[in-house]
Amino acid sequence: MAKNTTVEAARAEIERDFQAGYDLPVYVYKPWCKSCEICVALCPKRVLEMGEDRKPVVARPADCIQCRMCELHCPDLAVFVTKEKG
Amino acid sequence: MSADIRLLQGNEACAEGAIYAGCDFFGGYPITPSTEVAEEMARLLPRHGGKFIQMEDEIAGIATMLGAGAAGAKAMTATSGPGFSLMMELLGYGCMAEIPAVIVNVQRAGPSTGLPTKGAQADMMQARWGTHGDHPAIALCPSSVAESFSLTVKSFNLAERFRMPVQLMLDEFIGHLREKVTIPAPGELEVYTHPRPSVAPGEYRHFGDGTSVGGAYAAMGTGYRFNITGLTHDPMGFPTGRTDEIRWKMDRLRAKTDDHLPELVDVEREFLDDAEVVLFAYGGGARTAQEAVRLARARGIKAGLLRPRIVWPFPDQTVADALAKAKAMLVVELNQGQLIGEVRRVNQGGTKVVPVLRYDGEIITPDELMTAVEANR
Amino acid sequence: MITMHPSFEMLRPGKKFPTVWCPGCGHGIVQGAIIRAVQKLGIPRDQMVMVSGIGCSSRMPVYVDFNSLHTAHGRAIAFATGVKLHNPKLHVIVITGDGDALAIGGNHFIHAARRNVELTVILLNNNIYGMTGGQYSPTTPIGKRASTAPYGTAERDFDPCALAVAAGAVFAARGTVFGVVELEKMIQQALAKRGFALVEALSPCPTLYGRLNREGNAVKMIQWQKENTINAKAAAKLPPEKTAGKIITGVFHDAEVTPYTEVYQGIIDKAQGQKQ
């Protein structure tokens, strides 16, 4: 289930991931994800899949078209697209 | 500059007092016998750049007034019994959210529709316990048109300092009584406005000002963004389920009055030093009680008057002291007996406590009071 | 490369996330649309006041870094009227639900619309009382189930947009969380309006409405919106049988009426004019 953190803590954790070289087209902040699966269902390119921990994983990064449907439909602001469109 | 002497009724003086205190918002709803307060505020506020709004019901009246208060206004509403009952939930909200506000209740005979144009004092316990849950209460009762002015100013000062709704409990007798009033010059009466915070926005905690009395708190749009909620909350104003934080908030609210009782005692004493029969009276009922005390003194009866202007918190010590020295205390009320319960509660020495009540819409007369004084001397 | 969620800057410092809403509840999607709309309009957070009532919808204000006022059930619009009238420079947005705004709050809803008080009212419509466990609300379609309608409701439902326009609102639009891009535009339009602007956001409740009416989980309910709602402009071009039974979305009303606080400023000018 989700883990309670402040936005400051979330920021720090995400910054650490990018400093460590994270470069996939979509980033999922798992502590805030409630496993509703909306992002997986609405991605027009089926880029995302639910992982073993019932959180979305970027299964097919190359197919991402930066449409941000996952980001805009996530009720918990736990997903965002990392590449500019086009 | 010649003194500003006016012939006003209590309701009008209440409105003038609000303006004097710097009130800049009134939200309310028409209801006899309080409507003149609203009518006067509708006329006066715009002249001072203030805002008046008549809402769709009393709940909306107190809600819009508390919204303005939360945003930073000195806000007020006025009503009578039926409206006062509708306002109860949000009176509690005003306490929980610690919003300064003045709620005027020009009491009429109840219950229900009752006698809309007739006076009574039967909402006194409602003022203390009308809303649900434990909460502090500050209520004042004017006995004259001049006091309708001065106690309105005092109510705003107390609301600002104690950061909570303060109830000004008039009754129709005072509300519609016309008397000569000298309007104080600006600066003559103290007008208190709560200090604004000076800490850096990042460190500001809307409910973190220590004792919550006399503290600094921010208005909206002034660089301090904060959350206000009716849910029990922590010093940041965030809802909490933690028992320590819940106790912190509940004790903070109770401490507003319990830790500041000396400052919240305002009692008028007349002829008490050697009094054997003490009349305990307040608001409209105190006017004829004053007359009865004079009549009794003229007949050599050692009578005295104890008249609280601040009724909640109840002046326990002052009443207990008066009881200890008196042979009998006549509790004069225009209801079927409400504050008499408080008098009995503090009556440690077993002094005789006698209810002298009238609840038929008429004010109790000096003769009726004299009969009671004679019977208990 | 975007290395932080663009909405994080608008979230309340020090507040614990995630939000209190159930997994897949649409309210968080509407919150995202509101945050982006405020960002795009460049409204300073210090001037924003988010006022809410009671219910699932109304837990939103604590999560955003605005001035915020979580009031009593049904009374958000009345509180918000006081905030706006006291300080017209503040940008006041009301977050309310179908029960909060249209049942207990109905009286304040129609009067604020009548007065044309400058309020952006976002009505999160999930057709149910979620917070209290699934009772039917004024927008629950007749015949649908709820904890207090085990055999289906016997009541017709309100059309909140029609109600607002009839009462005097200058703007009324309905969007869905599926159509969040369109919803965000509507919210932006409503925030820019001078007057009472309503945006009804259809926001699914999988936990209660979905379960009690066997309409599936979060994914099924948001996909249901895709198949069962249609924009008014598109619907106009289709034969009736194509749009029968579908929920119409879009902007239904957009007029210009002098807003309340400007009319009241005229009263102040008149009163102060007489005084001299």
Side-chain angles (χ1 to χ4, degrees):
Chain A
M1 216 2 225
K3 187 168 75 62
N4 279 333
T5 66
T6 62
V7 66
E8 294 90 333
R11 224 187 254 285
E13 222 175 308
I14 293 168
E15 274 157 11
R16 268 199 303 279
D17 286 346
F18 279 96
Q19 273 144 22
Y22 187 89
D23 67 354
L24 292 178
V26 180
Y27 182 92
V28 178
Y29 179 60
K30 293 191 176 181
W32 286 6
C33 169
K34 297 172 187 168
S35 309
C36 72
E37 304 190 24
I38 285 178
C39 58
V40 171
L42 293 191
C43 172
K45 295 296 181 186
R46 297 186 61 257
V47 171
L48 304 171
E49 271 176 18
M50 293 308 277
E52 291 310 316
D53 56 3
R54 294 194 61 245
K55 308 277 178 162
V57 291
V58 186
R60 287 167 286 281
D63 298 346
C64 173
I65 56 171
Q66 293 91 43
C67 69
R68 297 179 68 208
M69 282 303 112
C70 55
E71 175 180 331
L72 301 180
H73 285 101
C74 172
D76 294 287
L77 306 175
V79 180
F80 65 91
V81 170
T82 63
K83 302 233 176 351
E84 299 291 346
K85 194 159 176 59
Chain B
M1 185 189 72
S2 68
D4 181 2
I5 297 175
R6 310 267 289 280
L7 179 65
L8 293 176
Q9 64 167 221
N11 284 351
E12 291 163 347
C14 174
E16 295 279 352
I19 298 296
Y20 187 94
C23 172
D24 53 4
F25 191 94
F26 181 97
Y29 189 78
I31 181 168
T32 300
S34 73
T35 313
E36 293 88 353
V37 180
E39 288 165 344
E40 277 303 288
M41 294 305 276
R43 190 173 62 81
L44 295 172
L45 275 173
R47 290 187 177 177
H48 297 272
K51 312 294 175 66
F52 167 89
I53 185 166
Q54 177 179 301
M55 295 293 280
E56 50 273 17
D57 54 44
E58 283 92 348
I59 299 170
I62 186 170
T64 196
M65 182 271 286
L66 288 174
K74 279 194 173 186
M76 172 181 180
T77 188
T79 190
S80 186
F84 194 59
S85 294
L86 289 176
M87 292 185 174
M88 283 299 120
E89 181 192 3
L90 294 187
L91 172 62
Y93 182 90
C95 288
M96 178 66 100
E98 299 188 42
I99 297 170
V102 173
I103 298 161
V104 179
N105 177 4
V106 186
Q107 297 172 88
R108 76 194 209 178
S112 181
T113 309
L115 300 163
T117 60
K118 297 288 186 179
Q121 298 177 313
D123 307 348
M124 296 313 296
M125 298 313 285
Q126 182 177 18
R128 179 65 190 92
W129 296 113
T131 196
H132 59 285
D134 292 314
H135 60 283
I138 297 178
L140 296 82
C141 277
S143 286
S144 68
V145 174
E147 273 190 353
S148 299
F149 184 100
S150 62
L151 292 191
T152 299
V153 176
K154 184 163 189 166
S155 296
F156 273 99
N157 292 347
L158 290 172
E160 285 279 304
R161 184 168 153 69
F162 287 81
R163 197 177 163 185
M164 59 181 274
V166 169
Q167 297 164 86
L168 184 64
M169 304 294 285
L170 277 82
D171 48 62
E172 186 277 336
F173 302 111
I174 299 299
H176 284 163
L177 172 69
R178 275 189 192 287
E179 283 183 305
K180 185 184 81 170
V181 182
T182 307
I183 305 291
E188 218 179 302
L189 285 185
E190 185 220 356
V191 171
Y192 175 87
T193 302
H194 68 270
R196 302 290 182 191
S198 51
V199 297
E203 284 142 38
Y204 178 65
R205 297 188 310 165
H206 197 51
F207 301 98
D209 60 342
T211 65
S212 93
V213 173
Y217 48 98
M220 291 178 181
T222 59
Y224 297 94
R225 291 186 294 281
F226 48 87
N227 184 61
I228 293 177
T229 177
L231 287 168
T232 308
H233 46 261
D234 64 19
M236 279 300 289
F238 295 161
T240 183
R242 282 177 32 186
T243 52
D244 56 339
E245 288 177 336
I246 293 166
R247 272 196 306 280
W248 164 78
K249 178 68 187 187
M250 294 305 288
D251 289 341
R252 172 182 163 92
L253 291 179
R254 186 177 56 184
K256 282 178 188 279
T257 49
D258 286 15
D259 290 5
H260 299 275
L261 289 177
E263 183 184 342
L264 289 170
V265 175
D266 185 351
V267 180
E268 173 85 15
R269 292 175 183 74
E270 277 180 34
F271 304 108
L272 271 192
D273 298 344
D274 64 346
E276 292 168 357
V277 180
V278 174
L279 272 67
F280 174 95
Y282 55 96
R287 295 301 289 270
T288 45
Q290 269 169 337
E291 183 56 23
V293 166
R294 286 192 200 96
L295 288 172
R297 283 282 166 172
R299 293 186 200 160
I301 301 168
K302 290 194 170 75
L305 175 70
L306 193 66
R307 178 172 74 85
R309 292 192 191 85
I310 294 183
V311 173
W312 304 114
F314 191 75
D316 287 9
Q317 199 51 57
T318 310
V319 175
D321 295 346
L323 279 164
K325 286 173 28 191
K327 248 183 65 188
M329 182 173 280
L330 308 186
V331 178
V332 179
E333 295 193 270
L334 304 175
N335 53 46
Q336 293 182 322
Q338 293 197 6
L339 292 191
I340 189 166
E342 299 298 303
V343 173
R344 287 197 171 112
R345 174 175 60 82
V346 301
N347 184 21
Q348 310 308 350
T351 306
K352 200 164 67 167
V353 172
V354 179
V356 187
L357 312 174
R358 183 153 187 181
Y359 45 86
D360 56 7
E362 298 302 325
I363 200 162
I364 197 162
T365 64
D367 292 344
E368 287 174 275
L369 291 167
M370 275 311 296
T371 310
V373 168
E374 299 278 0
N376 291 284
R377 52 186 292 196
Chain C
M1 185 90 176
I2 300 163
T3 60
M4 192 50 64
H5 195 297
S7 298
F8 276 18
E9 62 172 18
M10 305 291 278
L11 299 184
R12 179 84 68 185
K15 176 63 187 164
K16 287 279 179 41
F17 285 80
T19 64
V20 69
W21 297 313
C22 306
C25 164
H27 290 2
I29 303 172
V30 181
Q31 174 178 279
I34 292 169
I35 284 172
R36 290 190 298 277
V38 171
Q39 284 175 313
K40 287 200 175 105
L41 286 171
I43 304 171
R45 273 171 285 157
D46 216 50
Q47 294 306 313
M48 284 299 300
V49 184
M50 183 179 276
V51 185
S52 70
I54 294 294
C56 298
S57 68
S58 296
R59 294 301 293 271
M60 189 185 294
V62 71
Y63 295 114
V64 290
D65 187 17
F66 300 158
N67 297 290
S68 49
L69 193 55
H70 179 209
T71 68
H73 193 31
R75 316 305 173 188
I77 284 173
F79 271 86
T81 298
V83 172
K84 183 65 180 182
L85 183 55
H86 169 63
N87 183 356
K89 286 197 302 300
L90 295 171
H91 214 111
V92 183
I93 181 169
V94 175
I95 304 301
T96 181
D98 39 310
D100 189 64
L102 304 171
I104 186 168
N107 198 23
H108 314 309
F109 182 80
I110 55 174
H111 286 278
R114 171 179 62 83
R115 295 190 188 96
N116 194 31
V117 185
E118 301 98 310
L119 298 176
T120 305
V121 178
I122 313 292
L123 192 156
L124 278 63
N125 187 2
N126 57 6
N127 294 340
I128 200 155
Y129 283 88
M131 182 68 76
T132 40
Q135 300 74 34
Y136 67 94
S137 86
T139 60
T140 306
I142 192 165
K144 287 293 181 182
R145 279 200 188 76
S147 63
T148 45
Y151 312 104
T153 67
E155 299 177 16
R156 298 161 66 226
D157 56 329
F158 272 144
D159 173 338
C161 288
L163 185 64
V165 172
V170 289
F171 182 87
R174 173 178 305 123
T176 67
V177 293
F178 172 77
V180 67
V181 173
E182 186 194 8
L183 177 64
E184 185 186 313
K185 285 199 190 72
M186 290 173 184
I187 293 171
Q188 227 178 297
Q189 273 182 277
L191 281 167
K193 278 303 290 184
R194 290 165 55 247
F196 187 95
L198 171 73
V199 175
E200 177 196 352
L202 300 183
S203 173
C205 170
T207 302
L208 291 158
Y209 188 88
R211 208 176 321 140
L212 289 166
N213 287 288
R214 278 184 277 287
E215 292 187 9
N217 58 27
V219 169
K220 283 201 181 59
M221 292 187 82
I222 202 165
Q223 283 169 336
W224 182 89
Q225 288 193 331
K226 182 179 175 183
E227 273 93 34
N228 291 278
T229 66
I230 183 164
N231 186 287
K233 294 196 185 67
K237 301 194 193 84
L238 292 171
E241 64 278 7
K242 272 272 192 285
T243 61
K246 295 228 166 130
I247 296 173
I248 307 299
T249 63
V251 175
F252 302 120
H253 187 66
D254 187 356
E256 283 303 323
V257 173
T258 310
Y260 188 79
T261 62
E262 278 174 38
V263 176
Y264 196 83
Q265 186 54 52
I267 287 170
I268 289 175
D269 300 340
K270 192 186 293 180
Q272 291 184 333
Q274 273 168 11
K275 210 173 74 177
Q276 267 71 34

